[in-house]
């Protein structure tokens, strides 16, 4: 069987047709038509579908289902995009719009992109076989999703899962959501960037300042991580604080859900064992269940998580 | 059918026989034999059982099941009490010990008391009919439990649920568990007591100081709450901080699980609408899902939660 997945981002619409082994058999990327009415996006999606089906020599009606992942909130019936700011999609009936354009009846599903990525990790990645699992993605923000009872969990009231907005620091830094001290304010790549920029200004002789040529605009999370790996004391101190914050976040989730696996993805996770080694050590030392907690592992689906997860939304 | 539940505490063994309507039909209380070998507890439990069965005119073999709630951690197979410090029970094979003394084969179940209370709220209380629900108990510590998929959830690895040890304040106050800034350090009755004592010392002319006759040993959570209700500025400031901390805790759980109902019990919940009114208002203002979050309601099972929940451990 073939499953079509779309991962719509503010830059590109990435699409793929996935088979029963969760392998991507055809791919297509189109620039996202930012600022145009959503119908322009649907046009592009349809032509991507036709092109990929042709490439595989199948009719569109042979698709078992179509899934769409978007970076934003979805209505509880999973039919409309309520708010996807990066796409400028506000209350868009995306499922119906795609269905209306299909030559044949094919089921169409819609999900938040973090949920789609979590489903991809469940089917084919780091959460395979889990009854209770968590995906955390550490990027510009912090996203993720939950597997409960062996299935993707979309919140008890279908509002979704927003683990980046768990509160980790009462009265902490202001978050874009309006609350303070959200996990996202302390565990995102953005936190590392902010601290790196401050270090460039405060410690002009640090390795970080040199790496950024004393220009704060050149500081990204990788700058801080690379300088820490190279042994720079300032960068090491920032990274140690980051690990300590992330450990508290992980311990908080473990205290509530005691998951079998916590998979961590996103840009910061590319630090590899330099992150996972000290993180596991600190969680072992802090976690209520001592060392009896579940595994903390890198997510494995990478950039394909959205496509594969979207394609799998209708997989049973 | 009849179901026997034991709620073992460091002071008393409370027991009851519950019917299919979740009503307690017979009760028995015995002083907990603190410091004696656990067999002394089992002796008492058996004589409570015989006495209650006699009272109802049934044979012990007519019990559908027996459930035991203890304040502590249970092994993943739910057979042994790993650590119940208040009972001085360390690795006690309680299920087998009770089974060995039963005249007939009756199933015996064991659970943490917070889990039992959560199950009682699910079957007969504030979480009735929930697919996703949470019980938080605000007492000396903070306990609670989760209903997921309409069933009591004991952690993904069966380590239990320790929502009191979610982390709410990175680098916050030291918790008895060894971590810092656990929810329990900021949302327990104990926090209110600590702040009340400090207020008595710092503000000898406050209403709190008068209520406690300037003796910090007389301060309990009710002192602070009653003085806040009476309009004392110092007590009101403490209580407002408490509500703000509790709101963050509730928002954190909502961000992760989006439950249909969060039921709040324990001593502090007796503040009633004086607590629930401002708490709901602050959660509405802070929560990621805005006002679309689930209900925040008082728990209703009170002191019977342990007995009823224990009795229901084997109810299917």
């Amino acid at each position: 069987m073939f499953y079509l997945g779309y991962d719509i981002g503010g830059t590109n619409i990435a699409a793929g047709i996935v088979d029963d082994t969760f392998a991507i058999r055809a791919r297509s990327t189109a620039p996202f038509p930012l600022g145009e009415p959503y119908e322009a996006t649907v046009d592009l999606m349809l032509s991507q579908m036709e092109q990929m089906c042709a490439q595989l020599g199948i009719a569109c009606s042979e698709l078992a289902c179509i899934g769409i992942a978007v970076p934003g909130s979805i209505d509880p019936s999973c039919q409309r995009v309520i708010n996807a700011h990066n796409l400028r999609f506000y209350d868009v009936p995306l499922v119906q719009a795609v269905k209306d354009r299909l030559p044949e009846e094919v089921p169409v599903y819609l999900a938040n992109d973090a949920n789609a990525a979590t489903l991809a990790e469940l089917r084919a990645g780091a959460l395979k076989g889990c009854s209770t699992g968590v995906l955390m993605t550490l990027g510009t923000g912090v996203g993720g999703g939950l597997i409960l009872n062996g299935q993707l969990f979309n919140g008890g009231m279908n509002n979704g899962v927003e683990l980046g907005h768990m509160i980790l620091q009462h009265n902490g830094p202001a978050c874009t959501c309006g609350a303070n001290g959200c996990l996202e304010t302390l565990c995102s790549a953005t936190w590392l960037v902010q601290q790196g920029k401050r270090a460039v200004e405060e410690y002009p002789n640090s390795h970080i300042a040199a790496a950024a040529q004393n220009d704060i605009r050149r500081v990204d999370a990788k700058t801080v991580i690379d300088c820490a790996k190279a042994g720079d004391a300032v960068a090491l101190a920032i990274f140690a604080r980051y690990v300590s914050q992330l450990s508290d976040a992980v311990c908080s989730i473990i205290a509530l859900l005691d998951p079998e696996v916590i998979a961590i993805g996103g840009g910061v996770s590319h630090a590899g064992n330099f992150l996972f080694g000290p993180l596991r050590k600190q969680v072992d030392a802090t976690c209520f269940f001592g060392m009896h907690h579940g595994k903390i592992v890198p997510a494995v689906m990478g950039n394909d998580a959205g496509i594969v997860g979207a394609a799998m939304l209708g997989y049973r």
Side-chain angles (χ1 to χ4, degrees), chain A:
Chain A
M1 300 246 267
F2 293 106
Y3 311 85
L4 170 54
Y6 292 100
D7 183 11
I8 308 185
T11 309
N12 287 311
I13 306 173
I17 292 181
V18 173
D19 66 18
D20 279 299
T21 70
F22 313 114
I24 300 180
R25 298 282 297 277
R27 285 178 190 270
S28 166
T29 302
F32 178 74
L34 191 67
E36 290 184 45
Y38 71 85
E39 289 85 351
T41 298
V42 176
D43 285 344
L44 283 169
M45 290 167 73
L46 266 287
S47 77
Q48 287 179 298
M49 179 178 79
E50 283 158 14
Q51 174 221 316
M52 289 186 292
C53 284
Q55 188 186 327
L56 287 177
I58 61 170
C60 297
S61 58
E62 290 178 64
L63 292 169
C65 60
I66 296 173
I68 311 165
V70 297
S73 54
I74 308 296
D75 81 306
S77 67
C78 300
Q79 298 291 310
R80 304 171 79 91
V81 180
I82 298 297
N83 182 339
H85 185 67
N86 292 344
L87 310 183
R88 311 283 189 272
F89 276 12
Y90 305 102
D91 200 20
V92 166
L94 196 57
V95 167
Q96 195 56 53
V98 170
K99 274 187 177 167
D100 286 346
R101 296 285 305 280
L102 292 176
E104 311 263 347
E105 179 88 3
V106 177
V108 179
Y109 299 89
L110 174 65
N112 166 277
D113 58 357
N115 272 353
T118 306
L119 188 58
E121 296 290 345
L122 175 69
R123 295 291 177 226
L127 302 178
K128 213 167 169 173
C130 271
S131 175
T132 309
V134 178
L135 173 68
M136 288 181 84
T137 53
L138 311 174
T140 308
V142 173
L146 295 187
I147 301 301
L148 296 179
N149 207 33
Q151 297 191 306
L152 182 64
F153 179 75
N154 190 37
M157 299 183 64
N158 252 339
N159 281 315
V161 163
E162 290 289 346
L163 62 80
H165 298 280
M166 294 176 71
I167 295 175
L168 197 58
Q169 179 83 47
H170 178 67
N171 290 335
C175 183
T176 51
C177 76
N180 287 79
C182 291
L183 207 155
E184 175 160 305
T185 66
L186 297 170
C187 300
S188 57
T190 306
W191 185 87
L192 282 170
V193 175
Q194 286 163 346
Q195 299 297 316
K197 287 182 172 173
R198 237 168 80 178
V200 167
E201 291 176 335
E202 288 179 15
Y203 305 98
N205 297 321
S206 65
H207 194 122
I208 286 193
Q213 297 171 273
N214 280 86
D215 179 353
I216 58 167
R217 288 168 304 181
R218 290 174 186 265
V219 175
D220 61 16
K222 195 167 179 304
T223 316
V224 178
I225 292 168
D226 286 347
C227 290
K229 282 181 174 173
D232 176 54
V234 173
L236 277 168
I238 294 171
F239 195 72
R241 270 183 67 196
Y242 181 83
V243 168
S244 153
Q245 289 161 188
L246 183 59
S247 166
D248 273 6
V250 168
C251 287
S252 220
I253 294 170
I254 290 176
L256 195 60
L257 293 177
D258 182 28
E260 298 155 82
V261 179
I262 296 188
I264 300 181
V268 181
S269 73
H270 299 146
N273 270 337
F274 189 70
L275 173 71
F276 284 91
L279 176 63
R280 289 184 188 118
K281 208 168 153 183
Q282 185 139 2
V283 172
D284 286 351
T286 311
C287 162
F288 190 86
F289 303 125
M291 292 169 69
H292 300 286
H293 61 78
K295 289 185 292 182
I296 302 170
V297 300
V300 301
M301 298 300 290
N303 292 334
D304 288 341
I307 293 175
V308 174
M312 291 297 113
L313 285 169
Y315 177 88
R316 293 290 176 269

